[in-house]
Amino acid sequence: MRRRGYTGVLGILLLSTVLSGMAHDGDPTKAGPDDAKTVDPGHSMHGQIFNEGLRQHARQMSGMPEIHFDITTTNDVARKFFLQGVGQLHGFWYLESERSFRESAFCDTNCAMAYWGMAMANANNATRAAGFIQEADRRKGTVTRREKLWIESLAEFHKDPKRDEKERRRDYTRALENIIFEFPDDVEAKAFLAVHLWDSSYKGWPIGSAQAVESILKEVFAQQPMHPAHHYRIHLWDGEKDESALRAIPSASKSGQSSPGVAHQWHMAGHTFNKLKRYPDMAWQQEASVRVDNSQLMADRLLPDHIHNYAHNSEWLVQTYNYIGQVNRAVDLCVNMIEMPRHPGFNTLDKQTNGIAYEKRGTGSHGRRRLMETLLRWELWDEALRLGQTPYLEPTVLADEQGRRARLLGLAHLGKGNRVGVSEQIESIEAAIRGLREERRAHVDAAEAKAKADKKGRGEIDSAIADAVKRTTEPMENLENFIEELRVGLDVHAGETNDLPKRLEALKTVSKERLAAMWFQIGNTNQALKLAKEAVDAGTNQVHPLAVQTELQWKAGQTNEALKTFATLRALSARMDTHLPIVRRLAPVIAASKASDAGSDWRPAATFPSDSGVRPAHDSLGSFRWNPQPAPPLEVTGSDGKPIHLADFHGRPVLLVFYLGGGCLHCVEQLRLLAPRTEEFKKAGIDILAISTETVEGLAKTREKAGKDGRISFPLAADPTLAAFKKWHAHDDFEGTALHGVFLVDGDGRVRWQDIGFEPFTDFHFLLPEARRLLSFLQE
């Protein structure tokens, strides 16, 4: 997994000059009494680089790795948070790492290395990294020579972003080598050199010798056997040939164990086991990662997609469950991913921008896509048709996604013998194709208009148009293939086989396993068995292709071959669900094999190889499912002077809008945008309460100011002490100021959706249907 810097919900901001004359001796984590007057409410008083990231206090977390990194500070708490931040850096947990370093700086105003850490936590956000390392450079006057080398090397790397990337990386490599030469016991310099060399291989500077980097890592482990740099060894050999993954086995057995509270450290071992086709081990690692992430997300009340690779880890786990036949687990995880909140900043299923549909890949889209793949692969037709009537497989405006949904439902109807249902889904795909053509026209028109506006030549305009057409070519071909797949299925079902061989050969979106079954249905046994074998060869150690091959061999009268294939399948089936349609169809094979002697459960006992490492119980790491958390207490004062509590809304959902007083122009605009939608929210059964930082007396002025363009009918409440803001995390603990926040709380008092940030959330066009969707799961 490539590492990414945390960019925040609203994207990367341009770096502004850090304000001069900052309170508390220039500490950008502590507020002075008058500083808030100089910036917009919700924004950091010390520049835009401090707007993003988590702005609540960090906590000392369990399961962090042991780190040895001396820094100049007399504050023991600052030192502990610095070491925690470094450990989190090694696990690419940038979101939490930055917060640990901010906590370190909060505890010690002049801790220069804390700002070095913030820069490191923004490894792929050069603008913020440059700003943070400047802060470190300003404070380096009292640090040791070793710390100066760390700070100056990173400052030089970020000094001129226009300078050649290879030169900058080469010089940074030399700088880290100089630290090691001068301080040979600095294990962290060796670890960061190893990961820098690996990372540079993705930036145009290939690793000359992977074994040389391995030698550096061996020095790290000689000094500290359970150093989290095991993560880096996995990455190193994951980028080489498949057999090289064997060299990462020692680290795959220690990566998670070195940092049990860092999810990505568990995830990375899955890369090694994936290369080696050891899918039960891979699934174990991925599930451990999901559980650790869930533990932190729920403890800190964060949305799942706050963690940049959470969705990828989850969807990869679903894929791995499919490899080993844990289908119930796969479906359960997909359903959970779909139930998770979506946010227009980082996770939507569909959205319209200038008339052009697009999607942001997050838990929602990944969960839906993997759910459809799982139901299709294992022929779970009843479940597919049931879910097709629920929000889990709701229709979408995305033509390609809608086509996939119709394909699944069409095949489900085909599996149930419902020809009318198949025809209806073909019509749905045809409608999706028409929508995709309209989208293509929009792409083309937009590309041509932009090219002309930029005064491009005819050739460049034609190239822009061709690129726009290319964006929809593959989805269009997929949809056309889906239609043909369903039509072929109808003809096979009806026994019309005249031109089916040619049509089957033309299908491009059908798996070899399903094609093999279709060839068998039209009587071409040789082609069916050929494709089944190809599927097994391509899916080494995967149970589904073996099950298909076993079934077709048995039906073709190849009894001995079927029993041999089943023996291979059985050896891999320790975790395979036995209720699956294809497993039920293997009943005669099971009866004829020695497996029948094992009784009703013919699967072998589940075990792991001894080189997998000592693993904790999964339940000790966290919950398998992400769940919305109980809302914090709420006690604010209404405009009538009476107290308002969250319990007042029990049994009815409420949208809470935390705003920063009538003096915040952006907040006033937020209330104005929400006002016209009040009735729509009420029709959806959702109350609205806006909570202000101002006093009760100030609420009337806000209502007057915000109501100029439309009547505000929802109640306003006052929280001048910021008690509620703090409890709901709509608060910058480092600067002691309030943040903007919007929360959807269901009738049972659980937070189902939230947005907290330096700017108020205003996309209520998105939030209203999202609120309906989230609340609909309560009725399922």
Side-chain angles (χ1 to χ4, degrees):
M1 180 68 194
R2 291 285 303 281
R3 56 176 180 164
R4 297 162 46 188
Y6 176 69
T7 59
V9 170
L10 298 178
I12 301 174
L13 298 175
L14 294 176
L15 173 64
S16 65
T17 303
V18 178
L19 297 179
S20 60
M22 292 183 286
H24 298 276
D25 300 321
D27 177 18
T29 66
K30 296 183 179 180
D34 300 320
D35 290 339
K37 297 177 182 178
T38 64
V39 295
D40 289 336
H43 289 237
S44 170
M45 65 189 66
H46 304 299
Q48 295 184 21
I49 58 170
F50 294 96
N51 281 339
E52 299 184 52
L54 300 176
R55 295 169 69 174
Q56 296 76 45
H57 280 307
R59 55 189 171 90
Q60 283 290 314
M61 306 177 80
S62 61
M64 295 298 104
E66 180 182 352
I67 299 295
H68 301 283
F69 198 132
D70 290 335
I71 60 171
T72 300
T73 181
T74 58
N75 189 302
D76 190 53
V77 177
R79 180 179 291 104
K80 287 180 179 179
F81 275 106
F82 175 82
L83 296 177
Q84 176 170 282
V86 173
Q88 291 161 341
L89 275 181
H90 287 309
F92 295 174
W93 195 6
Y94 297 124
L95 178 69
E96 195 60 44
S97 177
E98 180 181 323
R99 174 156 63 171
S100 291
F101 289 124
R102 289 185 79 161
E103 191 69 36
S104 178
F106 180 82
C107 295
D108 182 350
T109 297
N110 294 310
C111 183
M113 289 301 288
Y115 297 92
W116 168 88
M118 294 179 215
M120 291 289 288
N122 284 273
N124 289 319
N125 187 335
T127 299
R128 296 190 75 217
F132 285 130
I133 198 61
Q134 287 174 17
E135 290 297 317
D137 196 59
R138 289 177 55 208
R139 292 165 171 78
K140 70 181 182 182
T142 60
V143 302
T144 64
R145 170 167 172 74
R146 175 177 154 277
E147 292 169 274
K148 283 183 180 179
L149 291 176
W150 277 106
I151 293 169
E152 289 171 354
S153 61
L154 192 60
E156 183 64 26
F157 179 77
H158 287 291
K159 182 178 179 180
D160 182 7
K162 295 182 180 179
R163 186 170 160 233
D164 182 73
E165 175 84 1
K166 291 182 182 179
E167 289 185 9
R168 292 168 60 220
R169 287 186 168 273
R170 180 200 60 204
D171 290 350
Y172 188 60
T173 299
R174 301 293 179 263
L176 291 175
E177 289 174 339
N178 288 338
I179 295 174
I180 295 170
F181 180 79
E182 193 166 343
F183 302 93
D185 292 332
D186 192 334
V187 69
E188 292 305 313
K190 296 171 186 177
F192 282 117
L193 174 59
V195 71
H196 171 68
L197 291 172
W198 164 78
D199 188 54
S200 294
S201 68
Y202 290 95
K203 306 292 173 59
W205 190 20
I207 295 175
S209 169
Q211 191 59 44
V213 181
E214 168 73 12
S215 297
I216 297 171
L217 289 169
K218 283 183 177 179
E219 288 191 34
V220 172
F221 302 136
Q223 292 176 255
Q224 194 173 335
M226 291 301 287
H227 192 281
H230 286 293
H231 172 194
Y232 304 150
R233 177 189 268 164
I234 294 170
H235 268 302
L236 175 67
W237 295 115
D238 190 50
E240 301 297 317
K241 294 181 180 179
D242 287 356
E243 59 270 19
S244 297
L246 289 168
R247 303 181 191 183
I249 284 288
S251 285
S253 68
K254 297 183 179 71
S255 179
Q257 290 84 340
S258 73
S259 313
V262 182
H264 192 64
Q265 293 279 15
W266 293 108
H267 166 93
M268 279 310 304
H271 281 249
T272 298
F273 294 124
N274 176 54
K275 279 236 173 181
L276 299 174
K277 316 299 182 187
R278 289 173 51 171
Y279 297 123
D281 283 300
M282 180 182 173
W284 194 97
Q285 298 290 157
Q286 303 295 84
E287 183 174 328
S289 181
V290 166
R291 286 174 177 272
V292 172
D293 269 337
N294 283 343
S295 176
Q296 193 259 342
L297 289 167
M298 292 190 288
D300 288 343
R301 299 202 306 274
L302 300 174
L303 299 186
D305 288 281
H306 265 112
I307 295 178
H308 74 268
N309 66 337
Y310 180 88
H312 159 66
N313 184 78
S314 297
E315 62 93 15
W316 204 20
L317 175 55
V318 171
Q319 186 178 11
T320 312
Y321 281 148
N322 273 290
Y323 290 164
I324 61 179
Q326 279 193 283
V327 180
N328 286 347
R329 206 82 163 147
V331 171
D332 190 20
L333 184 54
C334 288
V335 164
N336 190 221
M337 291 171 71
I338 294 169
E339 291 172 342
M340 292 173 185
R342 298 173 187 167
H343 190 289
F346 46 65
N347 171 28
T348 62
L349 180 62
D350 49 54
K351 192 175 177 72
Q352 291 285 335
T353 299
N354 298 326
I356 300 174
Y358 73 93
E359 65 176 323
K360 285 185 178 291
R361 302 306 296 274
T363 50
S365 58
H366 275 309
R368 178 187 171 103
R369 185 70 59 87
R370 291 300 185 198
L371 176 61
M372 290 191 287
E373 290 174 2
T374 301
L375 297 173
L376 173 58
R377 180 190 303 230
W378 296 99
E379 305 167 50
L380 301 179
W381 308 135
D382 289 332
E383 186 71 354
L385 293 173
R386 184 186 73 80
L387 291 173
Q389 303 300 313
T390 72
Y392 294 103
L393 285 179
E394 61 186 337
T396 108
V397 299
L398 286 175
D400 185 39
E401 193 70 16
Q402 184 65 3
R404 292 177 186 276
R405 174 182 183 272
R407 174 206 191 191
L408 170 65
L409 298 180
L411 291 171
H413 283 301
L414 186 65
K416 303 295 290 184
N418 181 359
R419 295 178 62 87
V420 174
V422 179
S423 297
E424 290 174 348
Q425 295 306 319
I426 289 175
E427 291 175 3
S428 180
I429 300 176
E430 290 172 338
I433 290 177
R434 291 192 294 273
L436 198 56
R437 286 179 181 145
E438 293 177 4
E439 185 177 331
R440 171 180 286 185
R441 282 194 293 272
H443 279 306
V444 169
D445 291 345
E448 185 171 18
K450 185 178 186 305
K452 288 180 178 179
D454 295 341
K455 297 182 180 180
K456 301 291 186 181
R458 186 67 249 175
E460 291 174 300
I461 293 175
D462 290 342
S463 177
I465 292 173
D467 288 341
V469 170
K470 186 178 179 180
R471 292 176 62 181
T472 55
T473 297
E474 183 178 349
M476 188 85 75
E477 291 175 350
N478 286 341
L479 294 180
E480 291 168 349
N481 268 276
F482 293 163
I483 289 177
E484 178 63 4
E485 179 183 0
L486 292 175
R487 286 175 175 164
V488 167
L490 285 173
D491 290 345
V492 170
H493 187 266
E496 301 173 7
T497 61
N498 291 336
D499 61 346
L500 282 181
K502 183 182 296 185
R503 293 169 66 191
L504 283 174
E505 289 174 353
L507 291 178
K508 304 297 183 184
T509 56
V510 184
S511 68
K512 289 184 182 296
E513 296 100 308
R514 292 192 57 248
L515 277 175
M518 295 169 78
W519 279 102
F520 193 88
Q521 280 183 280
I522 66 172
N524 193 327
T525 302
N526 290 337
Q527 180 66 2
L529 293 174
K530 175 176 176 293
L531 288 171
K533 183 179 183 305
E534 289 178 1
V536 169
D537 292 342
T540 304
N541 290 345
Q542 296 178 26
V543 297
H544 184 261
L546 287 165
V548 171
Q549 186 180 45
T550 300
E551 179 186 22
L552 294 181
Q553 288 172 332
W554 185 265
K555 287 181 176 179
Q558 298 182 0
T559 304
N560 291 335
E561 288 83 351
L563 290 172
K564 289 179 181 178
T565 304
F566 176 71
T568 303
L569 168 63
R570 186 188 179 199
L572 298 171
S573 64
R575 297 160 181 84
M576 188 178 187
D577 293 330
T578 57
H579 73 286
L580 305 168
I582 194 167
V583 176
R584 292 199 299 267
R585 295 199 299 268
L586 294 181
V589 186
I590 296 171
S593 71
K594 293 182 180 180
S596 61
D597 298 336
S600 59
D601 192 350
W602 46 270
R603 301 169 299 173
T607 59
F608 288 108
S610 59
D611 63 356
S612 298
V614 178
R615 291 170 171 168
H618 265 150
D619 286 345
S620 70
L621 298 174
S623 170
F624 177 68
R625 291 177 62 89
W626 178 87
N627 293 299
Q629 294 302 288
L634 180 71
E635 183 173 350
V636 291
T637 306
S639 55
D640 58 0
K642 296 180 179 179
I644 299 176
H645 301 87
L646 191 62
D648 298 337
F649 300 93
H650 180 71
R652 186 175 176 85
V654 59
L655 187 72
L656 300 178
V657 180
F658 286 73
Y659 72 97
L660 310 186
C664 172
L665 298 180
H666 291 172
C667 296
V668 171
E669 179 63 19
Q670 178 189 40
L671 298 179
R672 286 177 178 171
L673 291 170
L674 179 57
R677 294 189 171 272
T678 304
E679 287 304 314
E680 293 179 86
F681 275 96
K682 284 187 176 180
K683 288 179 181 178
I686 303 170
D687 289 329
I688 299 175
L689 174 65
I691 302 167
S692 174
T693 56
E694 58 201 342
T695 62
V696 172
E697 291 73 23
L699 297 179
K701 294 180 180 179
T702 297
R703 186 178 294 279
E704 178 184 355
K705 189 180 295 185
K708 288 182 179 179
D709 299 326
R711 181 169 172 267
I712 294 180
S713 58
F714 49 82
L716 305 181
D719 181 34
T721 66
L722 305 185
F725 277 81
K726 292 175 183 177
K727 290 177 181 177
W728 287 73
H729 289 182
H731 187 264
D732 184 330
D733 295 341
F734 303 114
E735 299 187 22
T737 58
L739 298 174
H740 307 273
V742 177
F743 303 86
L744 174 68
V745 183
D746 66 26
D748 294 324
R750 295 174 299 174
V751 178
R752 305 304 298 258
W753 188 94
Q754 67 183 46
D755 177 273
I756 302 171
F758 58 93
E759 289 284 1
F761 182 84
T762 58
D763 192 354
F764 298 110
H765 176 73
F766 169 88
L767 183 54
L768 179 59
E770 172 63 5
R772 290 195 191 103
R773 186 187 74 88
L774 291 171
L775 296 174
S776 71
F777 294 126
L778 299 174
Q779 303 166 8
E780 288 296 316

